[in-house]
Amino acid sequence: MGSFVPLKRLAAAALGGLLVLGAAAVPAAAAPALRQVMFVGNNWDGTVDVIEPSGGYARLGRFSVVPDRAQRLAEIYLNPIKLAFYLGIQQGPGEGHDQLVDDMYTTPAGDALVVSRPSFADVVAIDLATGAVRWRFPVSGFRSDHMAVSPDGRTVAVSASTGNVVHVLDIVTGRQLGSFATGDKPHENIFAAGGRHLWNMSIGEVNTDLDAPWLDFTKGDRKITIADTSTYRVVRTIDMRSRLDAFGRRDLSDAIRPAVLTPDESKLYFQVSFFAGLVEYDVTTDRVTRVKELPQNPATDPDRTSWVNDSRHHGLSISRDGAKLCVAGTMDDYATVVDRATLNPGPLVTAIKPYWATVSADGRDCVVSEAGADRVTAISFATGRAVATVAVGDHPQRVRIGQIPVGWTAP
């Protein structure tokens, strides 16, 4: 006897991609076509600008990522502890403003933007068609910070900066997949080894005025924490203090700010608190191999307590071929492309409080956010010169490549 095949399976095979509704047959719904864009998070006004990801960088739209602002504020003001931290964030890292969007990534379907909101201590998914909140994940403690998305786009990691933990979430549902403990004030996150490892850099306490070099010990436990993403167990920690000391730079802070791995992941380049320059760390030999001091703006206030959150330079990206680095010289009001072979800077491009650096979709440019001028500027990796500037919202910080449906309009 031949094998039995259910009637429904025969019908499905015969109709292929058609759905039967009564007597009528209609094509099955196809996934919408997607296009790459660049998202710019405007931290102080809680909006995101969507711009072309290369070329002229034209602005395509703007939308709010705090549609629930009234509800969140009501919850905060009814809880004295939450209110104390909220006001502390506002007057500290927020420089007198709410911090409403720190980092953001799109879902694989391009239908939602996942955003960390420091002042609300959460991560939310904003529906890109309606502008509504799809899901919300409150982080441990009282402030959310930098995020990273896995190479397959399915998971997102977020630093809970007062909870000293990294949460790893399903980017579509917001369900927590795992978490791991870090040093004090987890900050930057980087997926490595094809997504099998997750690196976190903790920066310690950056909101006090105890900024003299001899008071560095007050800043807390700062280290790189590396977790296995299949188990979310910590497999290694790196205390950069001893590596910097061995290189002869006891004067440098070991609070790692933005960092990038080379394409082959053999080198890590990073910025540290209070330093106008960058550090090269050899991953294989586990040692600091070069430190490069970059130009300092003579107009920059030498008072370290006046520098935003202990940063002198904050923003770093690497070209796709690994030949060039792009540095945001935050307190020195410039950005520059650095040759990785020599670590020599190119032209200093004037930029007002540049806060982040991202590579354009076509790989030709470095795009920096100018938090002090409410704009983003694209700088050619080839020439080191500015090629485009576009106005955005209030205090842009993170800039990320993502995707949206073709024909998208802002909700």
Side-chain angles (χ1 to χ4, degrees), residues 16 29 55 112 139 204 210 247 261 279 291 310 330 334 341 392 405:
V139 301
L210 303 178
F247 189 76
L261 285 163
V279 179
V291 173
D310 290 0
T330 310
Y334 72 78
V392 293

Side-chain angles (χ1 to χ4, degrees), residues 142-184:
F142 301 95
R143 187 178 182 274
S144 54
D145 200 45
H146 288 216
M147 300 199 298
V149 71
S150 59
D152 64 7
R154 297 181 180 276
T155 61
V156 63
V158 58
S159 290
S161 59
T162 67
N164 294 347
V165 67
V166 170
H167 301 282
V168 184
L169 313 177
D170 182 300
I171 200 169
V172 174
T173 67
R175 180 175 65 88
Q176 179 168 276
L177 303 174
S179 65
F180 59 93
T182 66
D184 292 335

Side-chain angles (χ1 to χ4, degrees), residues 40-41 56 137 140 168 197 207 368:
V40 182
F137 180 87
S140 174
V168 184
H197 288 161
N207 299 317
V368 297

Side-chain angles (χ1 to χ4, degrees), residues 82-122:
K82 287 185 177 182
L83 179 59
F85 275 92
Y86 167 79
L87 294 174
I89 292 167
Q90 186 184 78
Q91 299 305 313
E95 302 175 72
H97 303 264
D98 286 345
Q99 290 197 310
L100 299 174
V101 47
D102 187 277
D103 216 340
M104 69 232 122
Y105 290 99
T106 45
T107 54
D111 56 355
L113 185 69
V114 175
V115 182
S116 59
R117 306 186 301 182
S119 287
F120 295 161
D122 65 12

Side-chain angles (χ1 to χ4, degrees), residues 257-260 270-272 275-278 294-295 311-318 325-338 345 347-358 366-371 377 379 381 396-399:
R257 314 304 293 246
V260 293
F270 58 88
Q271 297 160 317
V272 297
F275 184 52
L278 52 87
L294 294 174
S311 58
R312 177 118 194 202
H313 286 187
H314 189 285
L316 190 64
S317 65
I318 188 168
L325 296 163
C326 181
V327 175
T330 310
M331 301 310 300
D332 291 298
D333 286 340
Y334 72 78
T336 188
V337 172
V338 172
L348 303 186
V349 178
T350 299
I352 310 304
K353 196 180 170 185
Y355 221 88
W356 197 248
T358 300
C366 165
V367 180
V368 297
S369 59
E370 295 189 54
T377 295
I379 301 168
F381 275 115
Q397 290 191 193
R398 220 69 60 233
V399 182

